[in-house]
């Protein structure tokens, strides 16, 4: 296999279509080589080497699966499971669990007696979005490295050591009292659902594997991050309900799969009871009253035409929106220019 | 943006001016932090101390409204030090000759007197910028929301052109769009002077093309821009159709606007939530939000990306485009294009910059398409002006400093700027309905320097009245050294303390953008209100601009 | 570089802030500019920082346990001293030991506990008045410069003669002498010293560092303590020579935090030599450890020096290429570096001939069931019986011994004639390691002894890689299960997963801790199957 400068064994094996499992790896992060699931055999080396952090070399012979590697993976995954929430189904009440999937894929024993939980939780963290569930954590440090290397916020850290190693914050404070910007990247990178989004858990939304994802563009700032709306098809009487928003994989343009607090979490406005649901038309008494679409559209057209007739086309103004789509902006300017003959069309791009 | 978001992490020098990037564009800030971690230099020019200044190599804490002085002084240094890219200027630009004469008086020493930024620092930053190849400039509304916003952008553009920082990766001039589709709304021609794709309405050939395509006669004269519309609402303008905006929250000098709206004959509003403007409305059309419709948003880097319908809208609400299609019919001018995909293709087929972009092409490439895009074989354009300036030559425009319209005086001794915070968005119709964000940042505040607060006997968390020539509002004081002495700052997200009651509705004479960033104000302590608990110590930022430069 | 040194001072700032009773995380974060969360991560990693409110720690090393430290702990707690357990304090020769803040007190008795009257500040060791610098028994007791490369009983030589000689000889001749001497690293790995020196010398990067590994924490080991206490001259001189050869000017001495007194001795020695004009081109920095065995692992030590959590790095790249702050770094153990001066003054050939089976004289630490525990400088390759004979004989009948610290596991009495060297011990799956020899007589239950060692590794695992993080806890959990059911039918089933766990710890762990942590149990089962029936 040819390889580029700085490419790791993992990069090359992936290109070759070989399966090498990883738990602590994320393409946005510096390789940590800590989860040990990606160990492969390099010809001539006594010890197995982590594919994620070992650079490919000239003439290197790499074996990604053999009896030795299989045995290592099975024993390792069995160890992971004794220190992890063991019920597969209730482990996945939020995001799917990469550990359970991997254990199944590599035939790891699942009947080892579990260890008592030694990782500290942070039960008094009252932030509204992010929950740390210590029993699911595998201390892979994806979340803390993401928070540091990608988000540059360093709100969370690995704390304690040995079997007590856990994810914490400065003085184990709630996230609101730290530098956390609530981007939720920790939730996105967590392989086991230990960093979980609170809202769907509290709302008892179906687990992620029962939702379908719709890739779309964020509706907040001008970066245009791609995001996956996770839809519960049975919600809202079958109209579909947004259960949560997740980020696409690393490498997805334009934001490399990253989202901010608004994009990831500020979606509960969608189902907010305040939403306008019915057209309204102001009656003779000056009150806004519910109307049918036909009535409302006719009233709108009539009102605009009446002013046009009385004051001329340039007495009309059309305010479009940088919040709406290209097509909608196109239609508004066309409405102004074609239906009413005026160039008085603009949008509040400045606000 | 001339360049792409993904290129930021490879930049070696970043000049960020008038952009509170970490609050308003967290994802861009993430890329900048990455570059800084890699060893890139970061220079932030902002009147306030903001998060980005904590990681910056230099913070140029300039007096609000003096950007032209700062930028011209940088250009002055580059010129005097002989750091211009003469080959680039020769081959790709015009109008350079006018520059030296204007720049002559903008010495760093004089600039220091006006901007408050140390002359040596101006000199050093100018030299670093000019001598670093991968040097990029980023700005938002801190540049454009001024009466001299266009001048600010010209001054920035001069820096880019004279150093030839254009046409390759990780450089260029990069306005960061504050809203999801600022770029797209302008691209689509929702402006009084352009048809879609920046084709001027007063260009006869263009007009003929659209008259042929649309089958009607079109008005050859530019229309009113937003600021002009608002000023004559209720007088010249008698009826208004408004889609997706809460003008009573977002427009400047609200008292005047509300008076105008009361005198209007007819107002149609199309939105997803009831808002402040609804009080003046005759017809309200319930619309779908982004998760409930199909379409395209265009991001800051000109990337046309799909919006996909995930769920049905609530009640009888409909997608804005569907409502508009019906409205065309109701107005007696039915459309041919009936689906979003057809509407999109109708638009792109008439605009050479977007030629070849269709839903099918976007789907095929899988990551959106950055215009210009020549045809359906093209992958689009990652950065502009590769191998020469687009559309002929880059034009230098020498600009002179003009003070802001309303300066501090004895009655209103403080300079008020407005902006946004990480946790809210615009009029906050969505974010204040997000439970978590509401908890994190529940209410409005005015940020002021401890010395200014002390002189007025104002303590942190005290209730105050913020007063300008246009109005008064009540909120709490956040006493902080983040703002300079003599300056105050407010977020504009909060309906009960609408910062735009105070702002000035005069603006830039080219773009019509109002001067949200500078007006004169005073703060007075209020007694008798209960002392509240502090809700937030976050700082905030300004809104992105409508000013477009292709 | 300024940012690097600010980060490096995080543990020190935490220590200061804790001592002052301040809000340590935030104070240290503010002083250093390091994010508060990262500071907290460091604080909770090191025993002496995160639990700094615990002022008294009782050693749980095997030799201290044999000397009744469990009772001392119970008594201390009953007396209201707020005492807790500590990993081996490197005072196995003067057991039982306790740590009072950062000072080790030795040969603590029930009477000492009683005398303190419930106030930890009052606790003192009667045997060693606190104003005196206590030290241990060494052998030979008289100066023997001709047969002992280090010669602990010798008077310190502050002339810098060997260093001057090194300059006269020239770098290549110095390297040739080290080569000829066959000097192997005495910290545990036995890696040829000259090879590392050459590797650092040959790097393209011109900024290099020399680091002294004085984080002596392998249970049963206390030789570096004695070298620093008695021959600081050799340590500094060896470092100065090494620095010249690898072209470094910055020397970091990482001394474990519990070595308050050796730290002081080294600081005095630096002051003394530098004020005498010796090694004036060099900068010696003493960095105190803060209670983490793993920091004896060279890459964890580097992380810790940089002010981070002491988590080992993946190798390669080796520190000789990418070390402290990413620069080529020579890391040597105290004993190794202290051998250098005499190698130069007396010659490589001389040093090589001092050994019996492998080159050089060697410091053996002996403790446990022997008459005169202490540090014995003897030819490399002597056997246990030779060593114990010098140490005044066995107490009771020999049952088992650890030849090189907890990591070397246990060997049965039948191995008493086996050379205690790098090669012969490796042949039977054990190792010389740090030559911390602990002798156990027939009174010792091997399951108990293994359990003590397993607890040590569990407590000291850094937690970075899962084979070690989970494996150390799980093997101890399995052994606990066995011990609780011992004598009942099927008790042995408790250990059925052990072979898979230990295999994975060896196969998957990043560093030596995890790779050797199961050896105490697996070797005990191998050699004493009757006790695990």
């Amino acid at each position: 296999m040819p390889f580029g400068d700085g490419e790791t064994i993992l990069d090359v094996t992936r290109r070759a279509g070989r399966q090498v499992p990883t738990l602590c790896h994320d393409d946005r992060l510096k390789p940590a080589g800590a989860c040990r699931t990606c160990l492969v055999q390099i010809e001539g080396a006594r010890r197995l080497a982590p594919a994620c952090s070992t650079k490919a070399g000239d003439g290197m012979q790499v074996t990604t699966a053999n009896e030795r590697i299989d045995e290592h993976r099975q024993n390792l995954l069995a160890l992971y499971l004794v220190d992890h929430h063991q019920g597969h189904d209730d482990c996945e009440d939020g995001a799917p669990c990469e550990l359970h999937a991997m254990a199944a894929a590599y035939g790891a024993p699942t009947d080892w007696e579990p260890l008592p939980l030694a990782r500290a939780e942070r039960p008094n963290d009252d932030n509204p979005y992010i929950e740390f569930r210590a029993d699911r954590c595998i201390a892979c440090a994806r979340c803390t490295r993401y928070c540091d290397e990608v988000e540059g916020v360093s709100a969370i850290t690995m704390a304690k050591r040995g079997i007590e190693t856990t994810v914490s914050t400065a003085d184990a404070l709630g996230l609101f009292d730290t530098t956390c910007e609530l981007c939720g990247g920790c939730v996105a990178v967590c392989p086991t659902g230990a960093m979980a989004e609170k809202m769907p858990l509290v709302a008892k939304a179906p687990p992620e594997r029962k939702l379908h994802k719709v890739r779309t563009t964020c509706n907040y700032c001008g970066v245009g991050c791609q995001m996956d709306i996770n839809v519960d098809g049975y919600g809202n009487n079958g109209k579909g309900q947004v259960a949560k928003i997740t980020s696409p994989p690393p490498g997805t343009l334009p934001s490399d799969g990253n989202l901010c607090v608004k994009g990831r979490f500020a979606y509960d406005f969608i189902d907010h009871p305040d939403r306008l649901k019915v057209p309204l038309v102001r009656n003779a008494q000056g009150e806004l009253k519910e109307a049918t679409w036909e009535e409302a559209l006719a009233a709108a057209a009539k009102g605009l035409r009446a002013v046009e007739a009385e004051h001329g086309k340039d007495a009309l103004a059309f305010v479009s929106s940088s919040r709406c789509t290209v097509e909608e902006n196109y239609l508004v300017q066309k409405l102004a220019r074609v239906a009413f003959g005026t160039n008085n069309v603009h949008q509040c791009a400045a606000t | 943006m001339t360049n792409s978001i993904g290129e930021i992490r490879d930049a070696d020098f970043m000049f960020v001016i008038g952009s509170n990037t970490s609050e308003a564009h967290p994802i861009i800030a993430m890329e900048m932090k990455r570059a800084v971690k890699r060893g890139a230099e970061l220079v932030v020019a902002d009147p306030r101390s903001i998060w980005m200044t904590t990681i910056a190599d230099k913070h140029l804490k300039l007096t609000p409204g003096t950007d032209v002085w700062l930028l011209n002084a940088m250009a002055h240094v580059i010129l005097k030090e002989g750091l211009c890219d003469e080959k680039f200027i020769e081959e790709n630009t015009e109008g350079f000759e006018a520059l030296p004469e204007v720049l002559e008086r903008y010495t760093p020493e004089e600039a220091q007197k006006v901007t408050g930024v140390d002359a040596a620092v101006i000199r050093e930053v100018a030299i670093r910028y000019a001598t670093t190849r991968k040097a990029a400039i980023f700005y938002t509304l801190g540049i454009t929301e001024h009466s001299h916003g266009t001048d600010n952008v010209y001054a920035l553009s001069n820096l880019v052109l004279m150093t030839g920082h254009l046409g390759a990766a990780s450089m260029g001039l990069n306005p960061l769009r504050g809203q999801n589709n600022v770029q797209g709304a302008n691209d689509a021609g929702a402006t009084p002077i352009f048809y879609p794709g920046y084709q001027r309405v007063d260009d006869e050939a263009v007009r003929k093309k659209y008259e042929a395509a649309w089958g009607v006669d079109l008005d050859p004269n530019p229309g009113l821009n937003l600021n002009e519309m608002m000023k004559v609402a209720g007088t010249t303008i008698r009826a208004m159709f408004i889609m997706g905006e809460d003008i009573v929250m977002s427009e400047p000098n609200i008292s005047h606007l509300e008076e105008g709206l009361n005198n209007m004959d007819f107002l149609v509003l199309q939105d997803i939530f009831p808002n402040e403007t609804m009080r003046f409305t005759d017809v309200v059309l319930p619309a779908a939000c982004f998760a409930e419709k199909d379409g395209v948003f265009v991001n800051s880097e000109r990337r046309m990306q799909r919006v996909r319908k995930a769920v049905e809208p609530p009640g009888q609400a409909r997608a804005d485009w569907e409502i508009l299609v019906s409205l065309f019919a109701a107005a007696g001018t039915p459309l041919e294009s009936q689906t979003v995909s057809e509407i999109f293709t109708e638009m792109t087929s008439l605009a050479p910059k977007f030629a070849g972009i269709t839903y099918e092409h976007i789907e095929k490439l899988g990551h959106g398409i950055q215009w210009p895009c020549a045809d359906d074989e093209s992958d689009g354009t990652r950065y502009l002006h590769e191998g020469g300036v687009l559309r002929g030559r880059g034009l230098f425009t020498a600009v002179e400093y003009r003070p802001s319209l309303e300066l501090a005086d004895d009655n209103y001794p403080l300079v008020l700027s407005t902006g946004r915070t990480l946790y809210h968005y615009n009029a906050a119709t969505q974010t204040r309905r997000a439970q978590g964000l509401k908890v994190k940042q529940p209410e409005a505040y005015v940020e002021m320097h401890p010395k200014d607060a002390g002189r007025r006997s104002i303590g942190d968390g005290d209730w105050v009245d913020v007063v300008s020539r246009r109005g008064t509002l009540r909120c709490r004081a956040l006493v902080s050294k983040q703002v300079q002495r003599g300056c105050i700052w407010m977020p504009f997200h909060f309906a009960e303390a609408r910062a735009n009651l105070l702002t000035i509705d005069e603006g830039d004479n080219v773009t019509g953008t109002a001067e949200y960033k500078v007006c004169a104000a005073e703060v007075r302590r209020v007694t008798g209100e209960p002392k509240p608990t502090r809700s937030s110590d976050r700082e905030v930022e300004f809104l992105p601009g409508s000013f477009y430069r292709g | 570089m300024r940012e690097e040194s600010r980060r490096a001072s995080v543990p020190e700032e935490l220590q200061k802030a804790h001592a002052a009773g301040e809000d340590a995380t935030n104070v240290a974060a503010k002083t250093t500019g390091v994010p508060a969360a990262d500071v907290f991560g460091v604080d909770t990693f090191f025993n002496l920082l995160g639990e700094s409110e615990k002022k008294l720690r009782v050693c749980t090393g095997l030799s201290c346990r044999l000397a009744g430290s469990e009772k001392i702990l119970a008594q201390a707690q009953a007396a209201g001293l707020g005492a807790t357990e500590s990993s081996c304090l490197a005072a196995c020769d003067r057991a039982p030991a306790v740590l009072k803040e950062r000072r080790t007190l030795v040969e603590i008795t029930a009477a000492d506990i009683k005398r303190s009257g419930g106030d930890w500040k009052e606790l003192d060791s009667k045997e060693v008045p606190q104003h005196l610098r206590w030290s241990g028994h060494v052998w030979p007791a008289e100066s023997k410069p001709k047969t002992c490369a280090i010669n602990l009983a010798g008077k310190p030589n502050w002339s810098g003669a060997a260093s001057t000689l090194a300059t006269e000889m020239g770098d290549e001749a110095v390297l040739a002498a080290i080569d000829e001497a066959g000097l192997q690293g005495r910290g545990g790995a036995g890696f040829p010293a000259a090879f590392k020196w050459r590797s650092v010398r040959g790097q393209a990067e011109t900024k290099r560092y020399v680091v002294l590994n004085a984080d002596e924490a392998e249970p049963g080991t206390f030789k570096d303590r004695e070298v620093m206490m008695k021959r600081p001259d050799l340590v500094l001189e060896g470092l100065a020579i090494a620095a010249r050869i690898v072209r470094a000017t910055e020397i970091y001495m990482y001394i474990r935090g519990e070595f308050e007194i050796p730290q002081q001795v080294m600081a005095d020695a630096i002051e003394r030599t530098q004020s005498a004009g010796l090694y004036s081109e060099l900068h010696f920095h003493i960095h105190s450890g803060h209670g983490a065995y793993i920091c004896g692992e060279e890459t964890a030590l580097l992380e810790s020096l940089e002010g981070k959590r002491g988590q080992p790095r993946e190798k390669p790249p080796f520190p000789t290429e990418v070390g402290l702050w990413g620069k080529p770094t020579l890391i040597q153990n105290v004993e190794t570096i202290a051998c250098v001066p005499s190698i130069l003054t007396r010659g490589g050939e001389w040093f090589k001939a001092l050994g019996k089976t492998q080159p050089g004289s060697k410091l053996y630490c002996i403790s446990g069931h022997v008459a005169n525990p202490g540090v014995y400088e003897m030819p490399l390759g002597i056997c246990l019986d030779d060593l114990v004979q010098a140490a005044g004989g066995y107490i009771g009948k020999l049952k088992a011994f650890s030849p090189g610290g907890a990591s070397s596991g246990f060997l049965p009495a039948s191995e008493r004639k086996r050379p205690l060297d790098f090669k012969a011990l490796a042949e039977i799956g054990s190792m010389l390691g740090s030559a911390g020899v602990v002798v156990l007589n027939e009174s010792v239950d091997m399951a108990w002894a293994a359990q003590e060692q397993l607890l040590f590794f569990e407590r000291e695992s850094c937690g970075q890689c899962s084979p070690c993080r989970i494996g150390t806890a799980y093997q101890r959990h399995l052994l606990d299960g066995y011990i609780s059911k011992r004598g009942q039918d099927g008790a042995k089933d408790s250990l059925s997963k052990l072979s898979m766990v230990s295999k994975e710890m060896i196969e998957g762990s990043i560093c030596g801790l995890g790779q050797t942590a199961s050896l105490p149990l697996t070797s005990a089962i191998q050699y004493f199957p009757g006790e695990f029936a």
Side-chain angles (χ1 to χ4, degrees), chain A residues 186-207:
Chain A
C186 50
V187 174
V189 297
C190 182
T192 59
M195 282 289 176
E197 188 184 339
K198 266 184 194 173
M199 289 191 294
L201 290 178
V202 170
K204 298 214 165 18

Side-chain angles (χ1 to χ4, degrees), chain B residues 265-302:
Chain B
D265 294 338
F266 192 68
L267 192 60
V268 183
L269 185 70
Q270 181 169 310
D271 213 322
I272 64 173
F273 281 112
N275 64 28
E276 298 292 314
T277 310
M278 227 169 96
R279 287 183 280 134
F280 307 94
T281 307
D282 298 289
V283 176
V284 177
L285 306 173
C289 77
F290 85 113
E292 298 152 355
K293 64 187 179 186
D294 286 300
V296 166
F297 289 160
V298 190
N299 78 352
S300 289
E301 48 171 15
R302 302 162 275 105

Side-chain angles (χ1 to χ4, degrees), chain C residues 83-160:
Chain C
T84 185
E85 296 182 331
S86 164
S87 293
C88 180
L89 290 169
C92 322
D93 52 338
R94 307 202 60 180
V98 306
L99 188 72
K100 180 171 132 179
E101 290 195 278
R102 296 204 168 203
R103 172 159 302 193
T104 306
L105 307 178
V106 296
E107 292 171 22
I108 289 291
T109 63
D112 298 328
I113 301 289
K114 204 170 160 200
R115 207 170 45 237
S116 68
D119 182 352
W120 64 270
K121 286 181 195 152
E122 293 300 315
L123 183 70
D124 217 336
S125 163
K126 206 174 75 189
E127 295 301 315
V128 188
Q130 213 179 344
H131 61 278
L132 293 179
R133 287 174 171 174
W134 66 267
S135 82
H137 170 65
V138 299
W139 188 93
E142 301 86 36
S143 177
K144 301 268 189 200
K146 287 185 187 152
T147 55
C148 296
I150 292 180
N151 192 22
L152 289 169
K155 266 186 69 169
N157 174 355
W158 300 104
S159 69

Side-chain angles (χ1 to χ4, degrees), chain B residues 47-120:
Chain B
R48 287 199 310 151
S49 295
I50 53 177
W51 192 92
M52 293 304 282
T53 60
T54 65
I55 62 162
D57 295 275
K58 294 249 163 13
H59 176 197
L60 315 185
K61 208 166 182 172
L62 76 171
T63 304
T66 62
D67 311 75
V68 165
W69 256 103
L70 175 71
L71 301 171
N72 274 359
M74 285 173 63
H76 175 99
V77 172
I78 291 168
L79 200 62
K80 293 284 171 183
E81 297 285 332
L83 298 173
C84 290
D85 184 339
E86 278 162 24
K87 185 163 177 283
F88 183 90
I89 294 170
E90 170 72 32
E91 291 173 2
N92 295 299
T93 69
E94 55 192 69
F96 180 70
E97 326 71 66
L99 221 51
E101 196 191 325
V102 173
L103 291 180
E104 187 60 34
R105 75 180 181 98
Y106 289 88
T107 63
E109 287 67 27
E110 285 302 309
Q112 177 175 345
K113 290 179 196 161
V114 184
T115 63
V117 181
D118 192 77

Side-chain angles (χ1 to χ4, degrees), chain C residues 38-206:
Chain C
D38 292 359
V39 170
F40 184 71
V42 171
D43 197 47
T44 56
F45 185 87
F46 293 99
N47 279 336
L48 299 181
L49 295 176
E51 297 176 0
S52 58
E53 77 283 1
K54 291 177 183 152
K55 307 292 188 190
L56 204 62
R57 293 153 204 272
V58 179
C59 181
T60 58
L62 204 47
S63 298
C64 282
R65 279 284 201 236
L66 294 174
S69 72
E70 224 163 335
K71 276 193 206 127
I72 295 292
L73 176 61
Q75 278 168 339
Q77 285 171 338
L81 292 177
T84 185
E85 296 182 331
S86 164
S87 293
C88 180
L89 290 169
C92 322
D93 52 338
R94 307 202 60 180
V98 306
L99 188 72
K100 180 171 132 179
E101 290 195 278
R102 296 204 168 203
R103 172 159 302 193
T104 306
L105 307 178
V106 296
E107 292 171 22
I108 289 291
T109 63
D112 298 328
I113 301 289
K114 204 170 160 200
R115 207 170 45 237
S116 68
D119 182 352
W120 64 270
K121 286 181 195 152
E122 293 300 315
L123 183 70
D124 217 336
S125 163
K126 206 174 75 189
E127 295 301 315
V128 188
Q130 213 179 344
H131 61 278
L132 293 179
R133 287 174 171 174
W134 66 267
S135 82
H137 170 65
V138 299
W139 188 93
E142 301 86 36
S143 177
K144 301 268 189 200
K146 287 185 187 152
T147 55
C148 296
I150 292 180
N151 192 22
L152 289 169
K155 266 186 69 169
N157 174 355
W158 300 104
S159 69
S163 165
T164 312
L165 178 63
T167 315
E168 289 163 15
M169 287 166 69
D171 293 355
E172 282 308 323
V174 171
L175 284 166
I178 306 286
D179 255 341
E180 194 182 16
L183 178 65
Q184 291 166 279
R186 264 109 167 101
F191 198 77
F195 187 90
K196 283 209 248 184
W197 293 28
R198 284 213 171 84
S199 171
V200 176
R201 244 172 95 81
Q203 297 299 317
E205 167 65 50
T206 54

